[in-house]
Amino acid sequence: LAALDTPTRREVRDELRALLAAAGVPVILVTHDDEEVRALADDVWVMNAGEIIQQGPVPDVFANPATPAAARILGRRG
């Protein structure tokens, strides 16, 4: 979605969310965009150097980074 302009990105993201919900199947989405994570994901896995360093529901992970590395990756102070 990164190559799309902002209004189109929002529209595609909303349509994608609806399609994923309707399909009812698990999907792995790889992104560095926290807006995409918040809009599309139920759970998030934070990775650092190929290792999962935190996972859980999106609001919990963003509100409570488990480590300084997770905080940095999530754009928070660690």
Side-chain angles (χ1 to χ4, degrees):
L1 304 178
L4 300 173
D5 59 82
T6 301
T8 303
R9 183 179 318 124
R10 286 186 186 126
E11 183 179 331
V12 170
R13 207 171 38 213
D14 291 346
E15 290 179 24
L16 182 57
R17 178 71 176 178
L19 287 169
L20 294 174
V25 296
V27 174
I28 296 174
L29 172 71
V30 178
T31 185
H32 294 99
D33 185 327
D34 66 329
E35 281 187 47
E36 286 179 16
V37 172
R38 292 174 192 267
L40 296 171
D42 298 317
D43 294 302
V44 61
W45 294 3
V46 179
M47 297 184 74
N48 186 37
E51 299 287 329
I52 297 168
I53 59 173
Q54 186 172 356
Q55 65 187 65
V58 172
D60 295 347
V61 171
F62 274 89
N64 301 301
T67 65
R72 179 183 48 75
I73 291 165
L74 295 167
R76 308 278 309 263
R77 297 178 83 181

